[in-house]
Amino acid sequence: MKFLEYLRLMKEKITLIKPGQLVHLVIGNESCDLDSMVSSMVLAFHYTCLEKYQNTIVLPMMNKTEQLFPVKVENIYLLDKYNISMDFLIYRDTINLETMQQECKMTVSLIDHHVLPEDLKFLKRSVVEVIDHRPVDTTEEWSDNVHIDIQLVGSCCTLISSHINNHSVSQIALEMLYDVITYDTIGYREDAGKVKPMDLQVAEVLEKKLSIDPVVNRLQRFEDINDAHRNISMLTTEQLLYKDLKIVGKIYVPGLPMLAQRFIQRTDITEALAKFSRDNSAEVIIIMGLEVDDGHVCRDLALYTKMQEEAVTIESMLVTRFEVNKIPDKSTDDIKYYTQNNPKLSRKQLIPLLKSLDVEHV
Ligand SMILES: [Mn+2]
């Protein structure tokens, strides 16, 4: 079977799943970044081709809802590049994991993370394999029966490439692995500090197999994906709020790749904020804007909440400890706008300040 055909038929396979069926899921991390997406697709395809899994339905699951998936614009770019429709993929809300676990003989490969998020802890007893490239986090203990491969490399796709090494997978699958390793290692640039010897080894093997000229491709493929990553023109106001989100209790802090000043001028901003706040029970939304122009960093901030008391508490913290100035002209009843005097202050500094507020109360 070819890789694209496999992906195209995945949804049909789901309809064939009956109680008692052997099912193996390959699941990436919750941010569903590029290497999680491609790693899970390629590994699931590889397993499908193995005799060991001939009676098992093997599927990759994108660890995001279908509605939120397009927020990952670089994922969409790569799917487009290889003519893979977003509709082919299986998302977190495409299947019912609890039912599947109860009714089927379900096993799981956990890819690109090795600590299960709270709402997926129930999967733990089904996990038979972990493949990750992050430093080991011992808060999650894995039994000896679980096959673990955790190595510090630039991309999870490097580990997947080495797993499937001796088997022929389709050319497109290999091309995608190469694209992602190239992106994650910033084009294999030593000075970017991401690339590890194993990334380079794997890349060289792939370049040979695929007759790729490294001189042109290492830089070009990185830049193509990076351009796609920065292009947010097709995202809706609501999708932008989800794109890069941090959460402290009921306080939601979306980071934007544009200034908040411009963002809050969008015509649908009030509806989008109200819906976002409703859908997530977010009582306070602090929008952090960022624009880099010719190496010059500019930041600003907008605050949205219906809670008057909390608005006052947070505003005074922002003014005294986060070096912002309120601009009444650009503020409305619901959305307060602030310029930020110190562009070195980012969410890294803001999050601890928010945590130190009486969030129980907020
Ligand atoms: Mn990763």
Side-chain angles (χ1 to χ4, degrees):
M1 192 193 282
K2 291 265 174 59
F3 184 51
L4 290 186
E5 190 191 351
Y6 164 72
L7 296 175
R8 196 163 44 78
L9 295 175
M10 288 193 306
K11 286 248 167 85
E12 258 170 60
K13 285 209 185 145
I14 293 181
T15 63
L16 300 176
I17 297 176
K18 300 273 169 346
Q21 169 71 46
L22 289 163
V23 179
H24 184 75
L25 296 178
V26 184
I27 301 179
N29 70 44
E30 276 186 309
S31 79
C32 202
D33 48 8
L34 209 53
D35 67 331
S36 271
M37 176 182 83
V38 172
S39 292
S40 53
M41 281 163 48
V42 175
L43 190 66
F45 173 65
H46 169 65
Y47 284 164
T48 292
C49 301
L50 298 182
E51 215 176 294
K52 184 185 164 194
Y53 288 94
Q54 61 175 329
N55 296 317
T56 306
I57 294 181
V58 187
L59 298 166
M61 187 195 87
M62 302 302 121
N63 206 344
K64 253 196 184 343
T65 60
E66 184 162 13
Q67 190 208 351
L68 287 185
F69 184 77
V71 168
K72 307 305 285 185
V73 280
E74 61 277 16
N75 293 21
I76 302 294
Y77 161 80
L78 206 65
L79 293 176
D80 278 351
K81 179 174 173 184
Y82 297 104
N83 285 315
I84 300 164
S85 163
M86 232 193 88
D87 296 339
F88 296 169
L89 304 185
I90 294 158
Y91 302 94
R92 197 150 152 184
D93 52 341
T94 313
I95 47 180
N96 186 326
L97 287 169
E98 283 98 331
T99 312
M100 202 179 263
Q101 187 184 43
Q102 282 157 18
E103 296 182 352
C104 302
K105 290 175 187 143
M106 185 177 99
T107 49
V108 170
S109 289
L110 216 58
I111 302 299
D112 205 21
H113 66 314
H114 61 277
V115 177
L116 283 162
E118 272 320 306
D119 56 335
L120 290 181
K121 284 280 187 231
F122 70 92
L123 284 178
K124 185 150 184 173
R125 64 184 171 91
S126 304
V127 174
V128 293
E129 178 181 48
V130 172
I131 303 175
D132 194 10
H133 66 128
R134 305 180 187 202
V136 176
D137 183 335
T138 50
T139 53
E140 192 88 76
E141 278 179 47
W142 296 101
S143 84
D144 294 342
N145 308 327
V146 180
H147 176 258
I148 311 260
D149 180 15
I150 300 180
Q151 300 185 60
L152 288 176
V153 289
S155 176
C156 197
C157 286
T158 297
L159 300 178
I160 301 300
S161 305
S162 84
H163 271 253
I164 63 173
N165 201 20
N166 299 320
H167 299 268
S168 61
V169 276
S170 87
Q171 170 141 357
I172 289 179
L174 297 179
E175 288 274 354
M176 290 182 94
L177 289 172
Y178 181 72
D179 281 331
V180 179
I181 299 167
T182 306
Y183 178 64
D184 282 346
T185 60
I186 326 287
Y188 310 94
R189 272 175 42 189
E190 294 282 348
D191 60 337
K194 298 266 186 165
V195 64
K196 297 284 182 301
M198 189 180 176
D199 298 306
L200 215 48
Q201 266 166 31
V202 164
E204 280 162 7
V205 172
L206 288 172
E207 282 162 351
K208 225 182 210 149
K209 260 192 191 163
L210 297 165
S211 309
I212 289 170
D213 175 6
V215 180
V216 187
N217 281 273
R218 287 189 178 185
L219 183 66
Q220 193 59 51
R221 292 197 192 204
F222 165 72
E223 282 187 348
D224 288 347
I225 301 175
N226 200 37
D227 286 349
H229 169 71
R230 283 159 40 187
N231 181 3
I232 50 159
S233 59
M234 69 284 270
L235 294 184
T236 65
T237 306
E238 192 188 355
Q239 284 172 333
L240 279 167
L241 290 169
Y242 282 101
K243 189 173 191 299
D244 180 14
L245 185 61
K246 299 265 188 298
I247 304 165
V248 182
K250 302 264 177 195
I251 308 175
Y252 280 57
V253 192
L256 296 178
M258 68 197 285
L259 286 178
Q261 181 182 352
R262 197 152 57 85
F263 183 67
I264 61 174
Q265 282 167 4
R266 289 184 161 226
T267 49
D268 61 343
I269 186 70
T270 318
E271 293 104 288
L273 285 169
K275 180 168 188 299
F276 180 88
S277 146
R278 223 174 27 244
D279 290 351
N280 299 288
S281 313
E283 287 176 357
V284 178
I285 304 171
I286 303 175
I287 299 162
M288 312 261 316
L290 167 70
E291 199 169 77
V292 184
D293 193 12
D294 241 0
H296 179 78
V297 177
C298 191
R299 293 179 187 271
D300 64 357
L301 216 138
L303 171 65
Y304 171 91
T305 180
K306 299 272 186 204
M307 327 268 286
Q308 288 319 310
E309 213 176 302
E310 282 74 11
V312 173
T313 312
I314 290 173
E315 181 174 290
S316 78
M317 182 276 285
L318 287 172
V319 170
T320 54
R321 306 194 58 190
F322 206 69
E323 302 179 43
V324 302
N325 284 329
K326 186 172 178 181
I327 311 293
D329 286 3
K330 297 202 165 96
S331 301
T332 61
D333 283 348
D334 290 333
I335 308 167
K336 314 281 180 247
Y337 174 72
Y338 308 84
T339 53
Q340 193 179 317
N341 303 325
N342 183 352
K344 290 212 173 97
L345 295 179
S346 68
R347 281 194 298 190
K348 259 203 187 79
Q349 288 76 33
L350 181 66
I351 299 290
L353 290 173
L354 292 173
K355 282 185 179 157
S356 72
L357 285 179
D358 189 3
V359 277
E360 284 301 304
H361 182 64
V362 180

